[in-house]
Amino acid sequence: MAKKRIFNVEKGNVMQVGKISFAIIVMLLVFSSCRKKTEAEGSKGALAINVTYSVDGQSLEFDRMQYVNSAGNVYSVTRLQYYISHVALFNKKKGWILIDTFFLFDARRYPTQKIIMGNLPLLTYDSLRFYIGLPPSLNHHDSLPNTLENQEMIWPEMMGGGFHFLKLEGKFKEADTSSTISGYAMHLGTNVALVTVKLPVNIDLTGRLVAEVNMDMNVNEWFRNPYVYNLAEKPYIMGDTLRMQKIASNGQDVFTIVGVN
Amino acid sequence: MGRMFLLSLVLINLLLISCKKDKQVYTYSPTPYQLEIPEGFPQMPTNPNNPLTKEGVELGKRLYYDVILSEGGPQAGNSCATCHVQSRSFADNSPGVSVLPHVNLGWGTKHWLWNGSKQGTLEDIMMFEVEDFFQVDVSRLMQDTTYQRMFYKAFGKKEITSKEVAYALAQFVRTLISGNSKYDKYKRGEIDLTPSEKRGMAIFFSERGDCFHCHVPPLFTDFDMHNIGLDSMPADPEDWGLFAVTGDSADLGKFRTPTLRNVALTGPYMHDGRFQTLDEVIDFYSEGVKNSPTLDPIMNHNGGIHLNLTPQEKEDLKAFLLTLTDEEFLNNPAYRP
């Protein structure tokens, strides 16, 4: 009896040990699975964007009167500076994931400029969205670091304050046959001229930590769609809300994705 | 014998004392120099290879005012201060000569000199001044015991080169900060401007005058190169500006934007000093700008290249420009020899 009991006890113990072992294994598997899931969710990746410039397929070359826009103006570019901010990526399950930051671009100084944004969930994304300019929360004088570069982009208080979103400047002739060369300055600023850009893109961050997107700005798009802008109509638009909004609308498709690595 | 021994001891002692006097011992323990950056100014770029020290600034100031820099060279008899006079905001007071004022140069990171022929840091441009402009004979400095001591205290070196001379000058020039004018006091809410000054400020910071794009506050320069339309087709190479440096036709007539800090005192104006007064400068922007293929696009105000200011607007703009005079800077004893 005692033996049996012992046996039973032993058997029971064996069974108990078996149950406990099974439970531990299950729990370990669950924990392990949880840990893996937590690691996957906790790990963060980075997105690098390389920005280049062109004019309808030609690489942008500064100071050269060799480009023709949709209005038939022959023009050059002498300055191209702008902010990109509020970059966001779209994941089908998570929705828009915002990378709350801003970058100042100077195409003359940096014909190719790379920006890197980290802390991104390792997911797949199918859209990229950002502002050309600064959102209202950043568009006031004390919102950006006090650097020489940001100072040069300031939009005077008496014209509404904040920063220039875009400075696109150069020289133009109304038509190829024109003899008069004038200057133009497409300056965007104030909240009414904020440009939203949304681009379809396949970014897969599930198998790697860094994805690289190559993006090109076609300068001619600033003058093309939906408004064909003739620079002779008004070559200087700072403070002209109506015309700034036209150029801002055109700005929605100045960028295209030319590659994802 | 005893007397002779004592006498010998005394003589040896005297000799030793005399030797000690000849062999001076300098210490190298530089004291960091803290710049006072005016409110609203960007942080000044620093050069990690040339940190500011009291000893370096003091040495730089002595060199700045000393004609020893030019002895034996093409600028013999001149020091930096000959052409950069404090009471003129460290610009020139010689008739017909126009130099860029040495004010707030510590923020300069782009082009140097009127035609932008030099690039780099403040140390780089000071190196040009030492080696090319003054052609400093460093051996003359090392024959001077005061300089020997000051260079050692500033840089810890007994043997100096052009580099240490340039670095000391750069340190002093970095301290030449003007940021306490009437305009600055107004921005800080300490005082008010007159109605005329305010109207002038409105012209300056709006499309009416459109001065702010190049004369970017608070430094009132963008340190960049622009063709403002002084000549349509300049024949004299002195008027070619950056073109004379790069050979690129797109650079014809481009000159560096001067700061407008203390502008009332920095005349004559433009690279060649062609305008004697601020009135002449304002008249030029109002009615005298000449078109050319390289005229800066920003000069194309609302379809025209002339501001066409009224006499009242001209007066107001001038009144605003006069608020940029910083008496504290012009009379700061720390900048005097």
Side-chain angles (χ1 to χ4, degrees), chain A residues 146 151-152 164 171 187 236, chain B residues 41 110 207 210 213 293 295:
Chain A
N146 189 0
Q151 293 271 8
E152 282 182 29
H164 285 75
K171 310 289 287 186
H187 287 196
Y236 200 94
Chain B
F41 277 48
K110 293 181 186 171
E207 293 313 286
D210 199 11
H213 273 117
L295 179 69

Side-chain angles (χ1 to χ4, degrees), chain A residues 3 27 29 35 54 67 110 142 172 189 195 205 222 228:
Chain A
K3 197 177 179 182
M27 282 171 74
L29 282 170
R35 204 178 301 134
S54 65
Y67 304 116
Y110 305 108
D142 53 358
F172 78 99
V195 183
L205 269 177
W222 286 108
V228 173

Side-chain angles (χ1 to χ4, degrees), chain B residues 31-337:
Chain B
T31 313
Y33 186 102
Q34 293 298 325
L35 284 174
E36 287 183 25
I37 305 298
E39 186 179 314
F41 277 48
Q43 203 57 39
M44 186 185 285
T46 54
N47 185 335
N49 297 320
N50 190 26
L52 258 67
T53 63
K54 287 183 179 173
E55 292 79 3
V57 170
E58 195 59 31
L59 171 60
K61 182 167 76 171
R62 185 183 176 92
L63 290 165
Y64 194 89
Y65 285 95
D66 197 338
V67 295
I68 196 171
L69 286 186
S70 62
E71 280 178 7
Q75 305 295 331
N78 293 323
S79 69
C80 304
T82 306
C83 294
H84 297 278
V85 181
Q86 183 180 359
S87 61
R88 302 289 298 257
S89 194
F90 291 97
D92 202 334
N93 61 353
S94 307
V97 179
S98 180
V99 298
L100 286 164
H102 282 177
V103 53
N104 299 336
L105 290 190
W107 281 276
T109 54
K110 293 181 186 171
H111 307 276
W112 299 95
L113 308 182
W114 275 110
N115 64 3
S117 59
K118 304 294 171 231
Q119 311 274 324
T121 64
L122 186 55
E123 278 72 14
D124 293 326
I125 185 64
M126 287 303 148
M127 199 68 174
F128 159 77
E129 302 287 358
V130 169
E131 290 194 326
D132 298 326
F133 185 74
F134 283 118
Q135 299 180 16
V136 175
D137 182 352
V138 177
S139 66
R140 290 175 193 262
L141 291 167
M142 291 319 296
Q143 286 162 14
D144 184 307
T145 53
T146 303
Y147 275 121
Q148 286 174 20
R149 176 176 54 79
M150 292 182 82
F151 272 103
Y152 190 81
K153 281 176 165 287
F155 297 106
K157 288 184 177 176
K158 289 178 182 172
E159 293 299 321
I160 62 153
T161 64
S162 298
K163 180 183 165 185
E164 284 75 34
V165 181
Y167 275 31
L169 286 168
Q171 288 198 36
F172 173 61
V173 172
R174 270 206 177 83
T175 69
L176 303 178
I177 297 172
S178 175
N180 199 25
S181 64
K182 187 175 184 181
Y183 165 77
D184 298 298
K185 291 171 185 167
Y186 168 76
K187 289 292 285 179
R188 297 196 298 261
E190 295 167 11
I191 58 166
D192 203 1
L193 298 182
T194 67
S196 176
E197 289 164 347
K198 282 183 181 170
R199 288 195 300 272
M201 185 168 67
I203 293 168
F204 190 95
F205 287 113
S206 71
E207 293 313 286
R208 185 71 189 98
D210 199 11
C211 315
F212 65 92
H213 273 117
C214 301
H215 296 287
V216 181
L219 298 167
F220 288 90
T221 175
D222 60 358
F223 296 102
D224 219 335
M225 309 296 292
H226 301 276
N227 179 348
I228 59 167
L230 290 169
D231 304 291
S232 52
M233 193 52 72
D236 186 343
E238 290 295 312
D239 298 326
W240 289 354
L242 189 58
F243 170 68
V245 179
T246 65
D248 184 341
S249 59
D251 292 330
L252 190 62
K254 287 184 180 175
F255 289 93
R256 211 197 77 162
T257 311
T259 179
L260 296 185
R261 290 268 171 196
N262 304 301
V263 68
L265 300 156
T266 58
Y269 304 99
M270 306 301 161
H271 65 280
D272 53 0
R274 67 178 66 186
F275 301 131
Q276 299 303 308
T277 65
L278 278 179
D279 297 301
E280 290 178 39
V281 175
I282 293 170
D283 286 343
F284 159 74
Y285 281 108
S286 183
E287 299 105 21
V289 174
K290 296 181 179 70
N291 203 359
S292 74
T294 60
L295 179 69
D296 199 282
I298 219 72
M299 298 297 291
N300 213 81
H301 319 275
N302 296 320
I305 58 173
H306 297 137
L307 295 176
N308 295 316
L309 299 169
T310 66
Q312 182 62 54
E313 285 175 320
K314 288 181 182 180
E315 282 303 312
D316 293 340
L317 184 55
K318 184 181 172 187
F320 172 68
L321 293 175
L322 297 183
T323 70
L324 299 174
T325 301
D326 178 354
E327 294 293 342
E328 185 182 278
F329 173 80
L330 299 168
N331 297 295
N332 190 337
Y335 302 148
R336 292 186 195 137

